[in-house]
Amino acid sequence: MSVRREPTVQGPWPALFVVACGAALAMSQLPGTGALGAALLGLAVAVPLLVHSVRRPALVAAQMVVVEVANVSGVLAEWGLPSVFRLMLLYGAVAAALALRRPELRARLDRWTFLAAALVGVYLGSLVLTLPSSVDVGASVGAIARVAIDLAFGLIVLVLVQLGGRTWFVASAAVLTMAAIAGLSVVNQLVLHDPAAFAGFARISLNEGELIVTPRHSGPLPDSNFWGRHLVMGLPFALALATHQLSSGTSNARRWQGLLHAGAALAIAAGVYLTQSRGTLLAAGVAVAVWVVASGPRARRLGLRLVPVVVVAAFLVPGIGDRFLLLVEQASSTATKYTVDPSVLGRVEAQEVAWKIFSERPLVGSGPGTYEGLVPAYAGFVETAVPDPPPATHNLYLELLSDTGVVGLAGWAVMFGGFLAMTLVALARTRQWAPGRLVLAAAPPAALLAWALASVLLHLAFPRTLAVFLALGVAVLSDAGPPVPAATRARLLRWTGTVAAAVAVATAVGLGVARATAGTAATATQQVTLVPVLDEHDGWYSYLLDLRTRRSTLPSYAALVIDPDDAAVSAVSDPVRGLITVSAEAPDRGTAAEQLRVAIDRAQGRSAAKPYLGYVLRLVGEPTTTRHRTHPTPGLLLAAGSATLAGGGVLLLARFRRRRTPAAPAPTTMPREEALA
């Protein structure tokens, strides 16, 4: 089997970049300097580094991974500075285009790269299928665009990793970045106690939880749970690098690298603990267990001996065993509970809302990115009630079901399951072709399975970090077996280019037709509540005022006083808050506001004319009017048909041209050993 050589990067730029980042973080902690000075220092070194490394694909991929894992864009946004995400995306695309011009680098692409792109296309296609039935097409289009950009970021990282031929160099960059930030969190916990330490890269989250023993550290993210989900993906990669380098190291440099990654694994484990997230701790345990089992008999025997030690230590460390025992007790007890963990209560309510939305639209859901807008309309119809319902589902799979139904969940299963299957294929191929690297190949499936488990209690957020680890899993598979024949690679390249052109043309035509056929409308809303007609000293006043206990009162009253024959006016009841939201939709703002005023006047007249109902309507706040774009069903169908015809036409044209073009000789490439030198 040909072994992929990993070229080294010459020059002082990587070391200088690390030193500059450390100096910037130190400067951000000094009084009187502020974050702006730190940002300028980092920028002064980053710009020449980018120019120097743009022709080195592996180094560009490592830079993109570091910037993403550290959430540099989010931290800069907190400072009031522009985001660097789009700049890094363009930077990666330019670097990939420059590298693809070299035949010896193009030879490194294989069928797994194209399969990864196809899996991403399947998921995006499933989202597009749900678009015509969305309750808010504008929000859905924006959500699909964001997902497409995030997944494109992962594909660019994958291409750069394969062109650079240094998979584990990039993986090490991700691991060491996580470890460095986790180390900063440890310093913050032990020394600083600053909610935004190190310029916001070592934050303390405002999340609460029962029996926590430390503040909940969230690294560069605003939520400790999502930071923990990132850490559990990095933990098996750190263990794999440390184990492989220490067991196969033949030089002092190799051993020092192994010790460095062993320290990174310990730092990441400490970061997992400081999140104080039970889901993160459980997912980290699963990640380590899967990695140990998949790493071979020797690792399994060692892991089996360590199980009693790990279990005893877990229950002795404060904030782990007692919190899990409390969770089991709360979940298994049938007694009435008067105190419940607020984080658990909010998640239960969010998941009930998501299931309610899915039960009404099971096939295609309410539309990508529409859950948050539907929470006020559904929060009053679920069993669990909280004063401030969460704007997200806190469950990836219920989020997919509520937003995109069975179609979207199936598309996600194909994409994520396909990437997971490729990591398992890499494991099998490594066992056959390079058993000494089995501990490395065991890391990607462990990371993805842990992420999937953690997502049972978390929705889809920061998907670019997931896309990075998906790319690393495919890159490991590319390194796990013999090279792909040149003829196969050329055919896949032509096929991918044709499909990409067809998708681009179809998307442009579809969006153009949808925009041309779209209309505009205005919606005026007014919130009202019910006030008892009795005097407040009357004995029945408190009973009538209690709308939350008698949950059917508010919806029933709204149905009685709002004109059911007026199709332009609707009323949504929220018994949790005791409010009725009355809405009127019309082509323009003035007409919508007038229709709303008439509907409110009629409702107040009906309530005043029927005092036996016990209530009168009282306005809450001022009416609001918003404009939005509407997409009629005929226009969406026309857009879908036009996109299909345009994409099909590109495919047919490409097929016709291939038939008329004489067959060219198979491209020749250098032997892989020479090409990768």
Side-chain angles (χ1 to χ4, degrees), residues 159-195:
V159 171
L160 290 172
V161 170
Q162 290 197 326
L163 294 176
R166 304 190 66 192
T167 301
W168 290 99
F169 169 74
V170 179
S172 176
V175 166
L176 294 179
T177 301
M178 289 184 178
I181 295 175
L184 295 179
S185 296
V186 173
V187 173
N188 189 18
Q189 170 63 27
L190 298 178
V191 181
L192 300 177
H193 309 291
D194 183 359

Side-chain angles (χ1 to χ4, degrees), residues 70-107:
N71 191 32
V72 173
S73 295
V75 174
L76 291 179
E78 293 290 333
W79 297 353
L81 299 174
S83 170
V84 298
F85 163 65
R86 296 187 183 277
L87 176 62
M88 294 304 296
L89 188 66
L90 177 62
Y91 175 56
V94 170
L98 292 175
L100 286 172
R101 298 174 59 189
R102 300 169 59 185
E104 68 274 15
L105 295 185
R106 286 202 304 271

Side-chain angles (χ1 to χ4, degrees), residues 374-387:
L374 293 177
V375 169
Y378 283 85
F381 295 94
V382 296
E383 293 297 327
T384 305
V386 296

